[in-house]
Amino acid sequence: MSEPIATTGGTRTMMAIVQERYGAEPEAVLRTVRLARPGVRPGGVLVRVRASSVDRGTWHMMAGLPYAVRPVSGLRRPKLPNPGRNIAGVVEAVGSDVTGFAPGDEVYGTAVAAFAEYAVASPERIAPKPTGLTFEEAATVPVSALTALQAVRDKGKVQQGQHVLITGAAGGVGTFAVQLAHAFGARVTAVASTPKLDAVRALGADHVIDYTREDFLAGPRRYDTIIDIAGNRRLRDLRRALTRHGRLVITGGETNGLWLGGTDRQLRAQVLSPFTGQHLGTFISSEHADGLRDLTALIDAGTLSPAVDCVYPLAETAAAVRHLLDGRVTGKLALTMPGEMSTSDATARRGRPDGWDT
């Protein structure tokens, strides 16, 4: 529901999503309001946001779960006015200390409180928007694709001819990871549910496994790298599916645990890794302009493409988060700002790659 916030006369305002408390149900904690536009500080870039997107991290910041996130997000209540991170838009103004960007530049990247018509970004966390992408498409890239790039290239060290297993292959990170592993010349086995198998196959998977019908770790196949995005399988099961010197990169895999939420697997993997010939571990994804420029090069070359399942208007952010939680999304969900797309067009729009079922 929209609840306008009064502002002083002459103050320019914007539409934004706010939350004053933690909660697991998006409809209960996310509100659409009008706020004063942020000002630009000397080292910042003010961006008129044209689109944003939601991901699993949105829910974690919104809910404050597991509790391990709260030292960053706020112990008792959220530090930030809204949980948005991804942006694609047009530079409105630049701070006095900023070089390399100018008003009118089309950019994408990450910013604080991105579920709003304007957001202030660090110049180290934005880059020129890929020319071939719409703002909605570009807004789905930063957090998820940077995570996938670091998992596949930097931590998984995927190379030509290797066999790679990717769990959660139809999700936001997974759809990028499948494309990247394929682009690096690997033979990709993608794990997804029945309705999503054709989609991940269209993204470049050489082999698909329906986890609802078979145990993807039970066969004789061994993998050089496993990118575990959405699983919660035991470490010993994952290790058994690795080659003798294979690499396991855990980027996700959640439980309902309130304190660690499944991250204990990542911790155990890092502790165990020095005592085995296999490389077991995890990482915290970093958001930086260098990675965004690498992604732009891949996108411009036609190697990488965001898989946009659906676009919602900003006022329906809670509905977008609910859609994500329902587990029916293939790829990414985008948010568009008021005036950029009508509500009826936004909720109906599909941006799926060729070969996807509609």
Side-chain angles (χ1 to χ4, degrees):
M1 298 293 292
S2 176
E3 273 185 54
I5 289 180
T7 57
T8 58
T11 300
R12 291 191 290 182
T13 64
M14 66 177 183
M15 191 73 72
I17 299 297
V18 299
Q19 68 168 118
E20 289 94 9
R21 62 185 177 86
Y22 289 123
E25 306 301 324
E27 301 85 355
V29 296
L30 300 180
R31 297 189 297 122
T32 307
V33 301
R34 293 208 69 86
L35 297 173
R37 294 184 190 178
V40 60
R41 57 184 182 271
V45 178
L46 179 63
V47 178
R48 179 194 170 197
V49 181
R50 297 283 297 275
S52 185
S53 65
V54 302
D55 51 43
R56 191 68 186 182
T58 303
W59 181 84
H60 286 298
M61 297 299 286
M62 180 194 80
L65 294 173
Y67 293 136
V69 307
R70 295 202 181 191
V72 175
S73 64
L75 293 178
R76 294 182 176 274
R77 60 181 59 87
K79 291 180 182 178
L80 303 178
N82 75 52
R85 295 289 297 161
N86 297 279
I87 60 168
V90 180
V91 173
E92 182 81 1
V94 298
S96 56
D97 296 340
V98 174
T99 60
F101 293 100
D105 290 348
E106 295 185 350
V107 297
Y108 78 137
T110 60
V112 172
F115 294 161
E117 292 183 275
Y118 291 85
V120 177
S122 165
E124 289 78 27
R125 296 194 172 189
I126 58 174
K129 181 182 77 68
T131 56
L133 297 186
T134 65
F135 285 105
E136 293 88 359
E137 290 168 336
T140 68
V141 173
V143 169
S144 292
L146 283 171
T147 301
L149 182 66
Q150 291 162 39
V152 173
R153 183 190 66 183
D154 302 338
K155 299 299 180 180
K157 300 188 184 302
V158 172
Q159 300 176 22
Q160 180 81 28
Q162 289 186 329
H163 290 272
V164 176
L165 176 73
I166 299 174
T167 70
V173 175
T175 50
F176 288 115
V178 169
Q179 295 177 77
L180 289 167
H182 175 74
F184 294 156
R187 299 284 296 175
V188 180
T189 297
V191 180
S193 60
T194 309
K196 303 176 181 181
L197 298 180
D198 287 341
V200 294
R201 188 181 285 111
L203 293 171
D206 300 283
H207 182 62
V208 296
I209 298 178
D210 184 347
Y211 71 82
T212 69
R213 297 184 177 182
E214 62 179 296
D215 184 348
F216 58 88
L217 297 177
R221 184 173 300 178
R222 297 293 176 263
Y223 300 94
D224 300 291
T225 301
I226 296 177
I227 309 294
D228 188 34
I229 300 170
N232 52 19
R233 297 294 296 271
R234 294 176 299 180
L235 281 178
R236 64 183 179 185
D237 294 335
L238 292 165
R239 288 189 60 204
R240 195 161 48 239
L242 277 176
T243 59
R244 185 176 178 183
H245 298 291
R247 291 179 176 272
L248 169 65
V249 182
I250 303 175
T251 68
E254 303 186 10
T255 67
N256 294 324
L258 294 178
W259 289 98
L260 294 177
T263 58
D264 53 305
R265 279 194 322 143
Q266 284 93 317
L267 296 174
R268 292 199 306 272
Q270 290 182 301
V271 170
L272 179 61
S273 187
F275 303 100
T276 175
Q278 296 168 328
H279 301 268
L280 316 174
T282 187
F283 68 100
I284 297 175
S285 177
S286 59
E287 303 161 5
H288 49 77
D290 287 344
L292 290 169
R293 285 190 285 268
D294 289 343
L295 292 172
T296 297
L298 291 164
I299 292 168
D300 288 345
T303 301
L304 190 67
S305 177
V308 181
D309 185 290
C310 190
V311 182
Y312 283 84
L314 179 68
E316 296 183 22
T317 298
V321 177
R322 173 60 61 194
H323 187 178
L324 180 71
L325 295 176
D326 287 345
R328 296 179 290 109
V329 179
T330 301
K332 296 289 297 182
L333 296 175
L335 299 173
T336 192
M337 298 301 124
E340 302 299 338
M341 183 183 297
S342 70
T343 299
S344 59
D345 288 342
T347 53
R349 175 172 176 166
R350 293 293 183 271
R352 301 185 176 195
D354 292 340
W356 285 37
D357 293 333
T358 57

